[in-house]
Amino acid sequence: MAPRSELQARVSRSCGNCRAVKRRCDRQLPHCGQCTRTREQCSGYRDEWDLVFRNQTDDTIKRTMERRAPKEDQAALPPNCNSRPLPSPGLGSSLDELGVNYFLYNFITGSQSSSRGYLDYIPAVYTADSHHPSMLVASMAAIGLVTLANTTRQPQLAKHARAKYSEAINQVNIALTSPTESVKDSTLMSVISLGLFEYVSDFTSWARHVRGAAALVVARGKSQFSTSAAFPIFNQVRADMVAVCMYSGQPLPEDMCELQDEASRHMDTTNAFWRLGAVATKCTNLLWGVRNNRREFPWSSLLEQATVLQNELQYIFGILSMESGYITSQKPGGDAAIFYNERFDVYRNSWAIRVWNNTRILQIIVCDSIRNIVNQVLVTDLAPIIRTPMELRLLDSQEILSKLGKDIIATVPQALGVISSASETDHTIDVSSDINGSAGYMMTWSLYTAGKLSVMASEPRQWIIQRLQDFGHNAGITMALQLVEDIIKIDQGADRESPILISGPFKR
């Protein structure tokens, strides 16, 4: 990898508008002063870690893959698979480097835009420890290699990925026995990142991993919030626990709620992204209450709670529209497997897609809860003056749910990496480009939630089923194959009232 200072000297760090017209950029925050004076919409600055890793990953892959295995090994690969040349045996260190760089490129910097990806807070943890803990490096190598192996169908890479996973797990277990090492950010970060590896296993394994991470967060106590790095890590664990609890039909553990209260004392709670995470925990408890209400609580009380959450989410949608809006476009004649009904939406970056979809999923949870509550109320004797507003509320919820499902589907093309980000709309659409290695991880839960909607028509539901099966068969995400079975049952007319769940991260 090129020295950091050398790379920074070669690449402009001006905003996109200033780079385009080759003018001097003052790099003011939150927006460039030049753009403010000319009344242009500032497209933002390149991410520092993107500058470091963006081009280095391709170089690393090229160097490693040039040492290709014998041709007879290639002949053993499945026909018609989109595979790169297989590295020759004995390149352990090179494979580790390949895995780490692939992980950084796909899960942190984002290969389709100058933005960070799924685990955008790893750089702070990684650089905070000058020794770069080997377990964190091993976990990144394991995830990068297994993702690359699954998308290119190279079993030899998968074997090495499994070995790195075992190595990281062993080192984490050793760290957990130390009172000092167990509470370090790098240890928790390793546990969180290894949870991604469980996506290739099953939901039960992943949920067990998430609960272990939550237990570690609780063990770190309230003092962990004395450093800024703790907040995004806590947000990640909280979001994963929300997913597990919603799917399992449980309320969020009380000790996690207490930590959330403590964290709120150390940050700006008016921040939209923090509010989104806080709403997620309330949605978890609302969903649990609706599912398990045996008339202990009046349905009117639960409806009031849901209405408050719906209004809060509408407020967050408004903030997102102003700060990180998207453009709806059409691709006439586009591949139907990518562009459903020829529609695609263009966002500023992959992080914006995640936040928008997470907000949509929460709104789906709330609207579906409202629908269930109203249906419970409508079976009772009601005066017309009460029944009519309830029936209108039911229709309104169904319309909102239908729109949310379509909006989630429209994020798939950019998530797959076949279109550019909003700051690169001048680029042509290239549907033949390599699929982002983290796309399946990013979209599985969103598509699962949309596919389970009772208002979803059979045709778009079938499209969602195909996409999740693609994630499972072509990207090796076994969990997607497990979750899609629920949608298939719904499409066949069974289990139409099965519960909806949500996933994260709800973070910034």
Side-chain angles (χ1 to χ4, degrees), residues 190-211:
S190 298
V191 173
I192 294 172
S193 59
L194 287 172
L196 282 176
F197 200 96
E198 298 299 342
Y199 267 72
V200 303
S201 181
D202 55 32
F203 178 84
T204 301
S205 299
W206 178 72
R208 184 168 56 247
H209 205 101
V210 169
R211 291 189 179 100

Side-chain angles (χ1 to χ4, degrees), residues 355-367:
V355 175
W356 272 97
N357 277 349
N358 287 331
T359 310
R360 289 177 179 125
I361 296 172
L362 285 175
Q363 189 71 294
I364 286 174
I365 296 297
V366 173
C367 286

Side-chain angles (χ1 to χ4, degrees), residues 60 64-65 67 86-102 141-142 144-145 148 154 156-157 159-161 164:
T60 303
T64 305
M65 293 307 184
R67 308 175 195 179
L86 187 66
S88 59
L91 299 178
S93 59
S94 296
L95 287 179
D96 290 355
E97 182 184 8
L98 172 64
V100 170
N101 277 273
Y102 191 85
L145 287 172
L148 182 59
Q154 297 190 29
Q156 191 169 334
L157 285 180
K159 182 179 179 180
H160 191 77
K164 297 305 294 184

Side-chain angles (χ1 to χ4, degrees), residues 68-79 83 85-89 155-156:
R68 51 176 63 193
K71 292 182 179 180
E72 57 267 25
D73 290 343
Q74 290 296 304
L77 291 173
S83 61
L86 187 66
S88 59
Q156 191 169 334

Side-chain angles (χ1 to χ4, degrees), residues 114-341:
S114 56
S115 65
R116 291 176 178 173
Y118 184 17
L119 302 173
D120 62 357
Y121 42 86
I122 281 186
V125 177
Y126 186 75
T127 56
D129 193 322
S130 58
H131 300 292
H132 301 323
S134 57
M135 62 182 170
L136 182 55
V137 175
S139 67
M140 291 191 292
I143 300 163
L145 287 172
V146 76
T147 306
L148 182 59
N150 288 332
T151 54
T152 60
R153 301 185 185 181
Q154 297 190 29
Q156 191 169 334
L157 285 180
K159 182 179 179 180
H160 191 77
R162 177 61 64 176
K164 297 305 294 184
Y165 175 79
S166 299
E167 175 187 327
I169 284 291
N170 290 334
Q171 293 184 20
V172 166
N173 288 335
I174 293 174
L176 292 178
T177 62
S178 167
T180 303
E181 296 295 321
S182 63
V183 296
K184 283 187 175 181
D185 290 341
S186 57
T187 301
L188 179 55
M189 189 64 255
S190 298
V191 173
I192 294 172
S193 59
L194 287 172
L196 282 176
F197 200 96
E198 298 299 342
Y199 267 72
V200 303
S201 181
D202 55 32
F203 178 84
T204 301
S205 299
W206 178 72
R208 184 168 56 247
H209 205 101
V210 169
R211 291 189 179 100
L216 188 55
V217 166
V218 172
R220 283 156 55 98
K222 297 180 179 180
S223 61
Q224 65 187 289
F225 299 116
S226 59
T227 63
S228 59
F231 293 97
I233 299 176
F234 170 76
N235 288 347
Q236 177 67 59
V237 176
R238 177 183 59 177
D240 288 342
M241 275 301 297
V242 164
V244 170
C245 290
M246 285 193 168
Y247 187 84
S248 306
Q250 301 171 336
L252 198 71
E254 186 61 32
D255 48 17
M256 287 293 293
C257 293
E258 291 176 358
L259 280 180
Q260 177 177 267
D261 292 340
E262 178 63 26
S264 67
R265 298 187 180 97
H266 301 271
M267 66 178 307
D268 178 14
T269 55
T270 63
N271 179 283
F273 310 108
W274 174 261
R275 293 176 71 159
L276 184 61
V279 169
T281 63
K282 295 176 182 178
C283 288
T284 306
N285 295 331
L286 171 68
L287 183 60
W288 178 83
V290 172
R291 286 179 182 174
N292 297 277
N293 189 25
R294 300 296 182 266
R295 300 188 183 280
E296 297 94 338
F297 305 101
W299 287 113
S300 59
S301 175
L302 290 172
L303 182 59
E304 183 178 353
Q305 293 179 37
T307 301
V308 170
L309 291 176
Q310 187 177 41
N311 292 337
E312 175 72 4
L313 288 167
Q314 282 300 120
Y315 174 80
I316 294 174
F317 271 128
I319 294 178
L320 291 178
S321 297
M322 291 187 294
E323 296 183 352
S324 188
Y326 62 92
I327 303 170
T328 295
S329 304
Q330 296 291 127
K331 174 63 175 175
D335 185 349
I338 299 174
F339 303 92
Y340 181 74
N341 277 349

